[in-house]
Amino acid sequence: MVARGCGGVWRRAWQRGPGPGPGPDPSPRGQRAVVCNARGGAVPAGKSGLAPWIPVVGLEIHAQISSNSKLFSGSQVQFAAPPNSLVSFFDASLPGTLPVLNRRCVEAAVMTGLALNCSINKKSLFDRKHYFYADLPAGYQITQQRVPIAVNGSLSYSLCIDNKMSQIVTKTVRIKQIQLEQDSGKSLHDDTRSQTLVDLNRAGVGLMEVVMEPDMCCGEEAAAAVRELQLILQTLGSSQAVMAEGQLRVDANVSVHHPGEPYGVRTEVKNINSIRFLAKAVDYEIQRQIEELENGGTILNETRAFDSKLGCTVPMRDKEGKQDYRFMPEPNLPPLILYDAKSLPANMNHQQVINIDWIQERLPDLPSVKREKLVEQYGILPEHSFTLLNEDGLAEFFESVVKQTQMKPKKVIGWILNDLLSYLKQYSLTVKESPVSSFLLADLLNLLEKKEISSTAAKQVLAELWKGEGKTPLEIVKEQKLGLLQDQKELEQICQAVIDGQENE
Amino acid sequence: AVLNDGLRSQVSAALKEGQITPTELCQRCLALIKSTKFLNAYITVAEESALKQAEESEERYRRGQPLGILDGVPIAVKDNFNTAGIETTCASNMLKGYISPYNATVVQKLLDQGAVLLGKTNLDEFAMGSGSTDGVFGPVRNPWSYSKQYKEKSVPKSHSEDEESNWVITGGSSGGSAAAVSSFTCFAALGSDTGGSTRNPAAHCGVVGLKPTYGLISRHGLIPLVNSMDVPGILTRCVDDAAILLGSLAGHDPKDSTTVQDDFKPFELPNLTDVSKLSIGIPKEYNAPGLSSEIVALWLKAADLFKNAGAKVVEVSLPHTRYSIVCYHVLCTAEVASNMARFDGLEYGHRSDKKDSTESMYAATRREGFNDVVRGRILSGNYFLLKQNYEKYFVKAQKVRRLIANDFVEVFRSGVDILLTPTTLSDAAPYTEFIQEDNRTRSAQDDVLTQAANMAGLPAISVPTALSEKGLPVGLQFIGRSFQEKQLLTVAKWFEKQVQFPMIQLEEVKRHDSGVFQHQKSASFS
C-alpha cells in the first residue's frame, strides 16, 4: 500500500533516523554518566553544589506475544515476511469486520501476570484508543485502558554495585498493570520520492503492555529490570522478547526532583532498541534534565527520541501536540471473563474458558528460582548463576557439561564463564552457535581432570577446538603432543637426553 | 398471484410444483425493478449474478433437491451489508465503487440457502437518517405515493406537478428495502436497525419490519452505525415470512463475539386462537408529543382488539423513555465518530487528490467522502469522547441507557408479555415537507418510539395495521422480551390476521402480475 505525498510527516519513533532537533554535543555528558545508585541514594548535586537530585524512572514495555496468529484475527504472525502478506480483512480494517479474541494471547498475558505476581482480573475490558496514523488502519487501537487483565504486581531484579560481580543487590519494581493491545503496522518513509509505504503485517499482532511504576533511579536499574523481564518472558514463552526484532519495546519516563519535593516534570524517551541503549538513554536524560534545571531552565512534558548514534535524546517533532485519545469501550468485544478453580462453572466447555489456577500450576521455573537451584545444586556463586541465565542456553550448556564430566561444577563454571563465554563474546556468537559442543568441552575437561593434560595445554586444545575442524580433544592432544607424561622411565629418558645435550656443548 | 404471497404457503410451493421456475420469478422481479425504477429503491441491481443464482436454483429444483423454503426466492439487501463482488456503498461518496471481498454472514446464510440476491437497496448515508432522503444516490420514494389508495385520497391540485410534489418518503434508513418489499420487487429484504431504521420504513411502506434481539443475528459484514445497538433487520410482507427469514439468519457466529452461544431453533408460528392468557402492556410514555391523533386512535383500537379477545391489557410506565433521545444522541454519535475513523482514504474507498500532507489528505478525503449529516455526527461524537467530556456525556448516557433497559425489565417482570406501541408519530410525510427540517431534528423526532428497544436490545416488530386518512400505511409496534421472538411473532401474527391490512394497489405491479388484484381486500380495520 502506498500513500503518496506524505513525506516527512508520518513519523514513528522507533523508525526514525538521526533526529531533526538541535542535537547537543553528547560527548561530555556521555562520559559523565550518572553515578549509579544501586544503593538507592540520590545523585550528587551538579555544578551548583546545591541540594542533590533524585532521578525517577518508570518504564512502559511493549512485549509482542508469541502466538501463531494475531490478537483479534486469524492472520499469521511472522517476522520479516513479505510486506502485506499477513493481512486479514480485519487487520486492514475493512468495513464490517469484527474482532475475535485469540485465546492464546489471553493465556500468555495471564501467565505473564502470574509470573510478575499480579492479581489477575477475572473481568477485564477492551477499549478503543483513537488517533490518525497511516499504519493504524482502523483509526483506533484496541487496548485495555479501564480494566486491564492484570494489576498490582512486582518484579525483583538484581544488579551489581560499581560493576563488581561480588556485590549483588536485589531490588523490586512494582508492576502497575499488564494490558492486552494491538500492535500497529509499519510505515516506511521514502523521503526522496516523498512517499510512505505501509506494511500491515504487524498490524493487529498481540502486545502485552507492562507498566512499571517509577521505582527505578538510573539507567542501570532500568536495564536490569528489563533484562529480568525479558528472561521471564522467554522462560514463559509468552514473548520471544528479542529487542532487535521489535518484540520488546521500552519507553522510559524520566524526571528528577530534590529530596522532599514532589516529582519533577517527566519526559518520555522512546526509540530505545537495546538494553544497553536503555541504560544510556536514561542516564543521558537524567543528566540532561539536571543540567537544564541547574541552568535555570525548565523541563517540558515531552516525548524524546534516543539517538543511538549520537548517544543523546532529542525532542520528537510529531508528538508535540497533546493528543486526546478519546477512549471509549470497544463495543464489539464482550468483557473478558476468566475463571479460577472456585468460580469455574461445572458445565462449561473447557475450550471456551480460561482457568487461572490451571495456568498457575503449569508455570515453569522462573529465572530467580532457576538461579537458586543452580547455586544450591552445584555450589556455584550467586553471581555466576546470573551470568549463566543471562546468556540464552548457557545454563543448559553448563548443566550438560557437568553431567558428562567428573570435574566439580565449581571448576566447570570457570571454564564456562571465563573461557567459553569470552570466546563466544569475542566472535559474537550465541551459545547455540558455539563450535565447541558441551560434549567436546566435557571431553576436554575430563582429560584435564584425569591429569592427562595440564590446564595450560587444555586452553591450547580449546583454542584448537574453537576452529571447529571436527577433531576430538584427544586427537588434538596427540597431534600436538600436549599430553602430560606419566611414565617415570620416559621422563627420565627425556631428562637424560637434555642433560646429555648440555654436556656435549 | 405469486408475486404477492407468503413464502411458505405459496411461493415455495409454487416453485416446488413447478408452477413457476426460479428464473421466471427472478425475471419478473427484475422487470418490476425496472418499471419501478423511479422509486429509487435500489442502488445496485445485480441482474447477471441474480439470474445465475436463479439458474442454479432451478437446477436444484429440477433434481428435486431444493435447499429449503428460500431456494429460488428473490431477496434484496440494504447497501450497508458487504456483498462479495457487488458494490457496497452505504449511499456514500466514501464507498462509491467499493467492492467488498467478502459476504456479510447474513448475506452468506441467505445465499447458502439458495436465495437469489437481486441487488442492494438505497438508504440514508451510512444509515444515518429516518427518511432515506439523505443518501448520495437521492431519496427513495414510497411506493404508496403511487398507489390507488393514496391517489384517491390526496386532493389533486394541478395534474402535472401533482405526483412530483405529493410523493411521500419511505422513512428510514432502510427505506430502499421497505420500498423494494412493498412494491413487490422482492419477497424479503434485509435492513439494519439501530434506532428504528427497519421498523420505521416498514411502518411507512406497509410491510412487516422485525428488529430481532441484539446478539441473535450476526453483525459481521454489516457496516456499523452503532455497534452496541445495530441489528440486522428483516422486512417482509407478512409475519410468517419474517419468522422464516429469522430462522434462516439467527444463531451464533464465530466471527461476531457479541452473538449468543445458545443454539437457535427455527420455528413455525402457530395460529393463535386464544389470547386470554396474554398480558399486553401499553406504555403511557409512548403517547409522545407529536403523535398524531389518528395514530393514537389506531393504537387504542388495537388495544381494544386484544381486550375484546380476552387478553389482559394494562397501562404500564417506562419512566426513562423521555431521556432516550438525548441519550441515544450521545451514544450514537460517539460510536459513529469512532467507527468512521477508518475511512481515511488509505486502504479503500475514496481518496482525495490533495497531497500537501497526510493530514490534509485525510481531511480532504473525509470532507469529500461524507455528507453533512455524517460529518456532523463525527464532530459531536468526538466532542463527547474528549477527556474532559467523557464522564459528563458518554458515561452519563450509558447510565441512562441502563435505566431505560431496566424500565423494560421491570415491566416484563410485572407480568406483561408484550408491549404495544405506535411505530411512528404519523403517516409518511411528503418529501417536500420532510426536508423542511434537518436530518438531526427529523431523526430525533422519528426515532422516539423505536430507539428504546435498541437501547435495551429487545426484539420489536412493526406490523402494518391500517391506512391513514390520506391513504398511507400506519404500523404498530410490538416489543417483546429478550430472545422471545417466537412469542412476539406469534402475537404479531394474530394481530396481523385481525387487522387485514389492505394490499397496495400499484399500476406497475398490476401490469406484471394481474392476479394480484383479483381478490381485492378492503381496509377493514380503519
Side-chain angles (χ1 to χ4, degrees), chain A residues 101-286:
Chain A
L101 184 58
N102 178 344
R103 180 195 176 97
R104 156 69 193 162
C105 293
V106 177
E107 286 170 341
V110 170
M111 256 195 258
T112 307
L114 291 171
L116 295 178
N117 309 303
C118 292
S119 29
I120 307 295
N121 279 324
K122 299 243 177 71
K123 177 180 168 184
S124 60
L125 304 170
F126 290 97
D127 304 282
R128 291 180 179 180
K129 174 181 180 176
H130 299 89
Y131 58 94
F132 281 107
Y133 209 86
D135 53 29
L136 187 76
Y140 57 82
Q141 174 199 37
I142 303 179
T143 178
Q144 295 195 298
Q145 191 239 355
R146 290 165 300 162
V147 188
I149 190 162
V151 292
N152 298 334
S154 65
L155 168 72
S156 291
Y157 62 95
S158 301
L159 68 166
C160 4
I161 296 171
D162 306 332
N163 260 333
K164 279 182 213 140
M165 277 305 278
S166 53
Q167 279 178 283
I168 287 184
V169 178
T170 297
K171 301 206 150 201
T172 300
V173 55
R174 288 167 298 150
I175 307 289
K176 184 173 178 234
Q177 65 187 54
I178 300 174
Q179 64 200 48
L180 279 167
E181 62 186 33
Q182 296 173 296
D183 209 338
S184 63
K186 281 180 184 170
S187 304
L188 303 167
H189 312 288
D190 184 342
D191 284 344
T192 47
R193 279 185 229 174
S194 180
Q195 65 179 20
T196 294
L197 302 160
V198 179
D199 178 5
L200 295 181
N201 279 353
R202 204 183 64 179
V205 170
L207 295 177
M208 295 177 281
E209 182 178 332
V210 180
V211 182
M212 291 187 185
E213 298 278 14
D215 296 340
M216 293 152 286
C217 58
C218 66
E220 204 187 321
E221 284 190 11
V226 169
R227 178 62 187 138
E228 187 67 13
L229 175 69
Q230 192 179 31
L231 282 175
I232 290 172
L233 295 174
Q234 287 166 345
T235 304
L236 295 172
S238 59
S239 170
Q240 290 173 310
V242 178
M243 281 185 92
E245 291 185 8
Q247 289 152 346
L248 197 70
R249 286 166 243 153
V250 183
D251 300 335
N253 290 311
V254 177
S255 70
V256 299
H257 64 281
H258 288 303
E261 286 176 12
Y263 285 1
V265 175
R266 69 175 193 198
T267 58
E268 186 178 13
V269 185
K270 288 179 177 277
N271 206 27
I272 301 168
N273 44 30
S274 78
I275 289 184
R276 199 162 51 90
F277 287 151
L278 168 63
K280 274 194 175 178
V282 167
D283 288 342
Y284 174 87
E285 184 58 17
I286 290 169

Side-chain angles (χ1 to χ4, degrees), chain B residues 3 42 76 143 176-190 205 207-208 235-238:
Chain B
L3 283 183
Y42 289 79
S177 288
V181 174
S182 162
S183 61
F184 300 93
T185 60
C186 63
F187 287 88
L190 293 183
C205 293
V207 298
V208 171
L235 295 117
T236 54
R237 285 201 285 274
C238 63

Side-chain angles (χ1 to χ4, degrees), chain B residues 1-14 19-20 25 28 69 73 181 184 186-188 236-238 240-241 244 503 509 513 515-517 519 521:
Chain B
V2 163
L3 283 183
N4 154 43
D5 293 321
L7 288 174
R8 193 186 305 277
S9 57
Q10 306 288 329
V11 182
S12 181
Q19 290 168 2
I20 189 165
L25 197 55
R28 279 205 213 178
I69 294 178
V73 173
V181 174
F184 300 93
C186 63
F187 287 88
T236 54
R237 285 201 285 274
C238 63
D240 268 328
D241 289 358
I244 291 170
M503 187 77 55
V509 179
D513 195 277
V516 169
F517 295 101
H519 24 210
K521 294 171 187 171

Side-chain angles (χ1 to χ4, degrees), chain A residues 122 339-345 355 357:
Chain A
K122 299 243 177 71
Y339 299 90
D340 57 18
K342 252 194 246 164
S343 63
L344 191 70
N355 182 342
D357 291 334

Side-chain angles (χ1 to χ4, degrees), chain B residues 40 46 61 72 116 128 152 196 231 236 248 265 309 320 401 494 518:
Chain B
N40 204 15
Y61 277 104
V116 173
M128 295 182 206
E152 276 171 2
V231 187
T236 54
S248 68
K265 287 189 191 70
H320 296 95
R401 180 179 183 177
W494 179 86
Q518 279 170 6

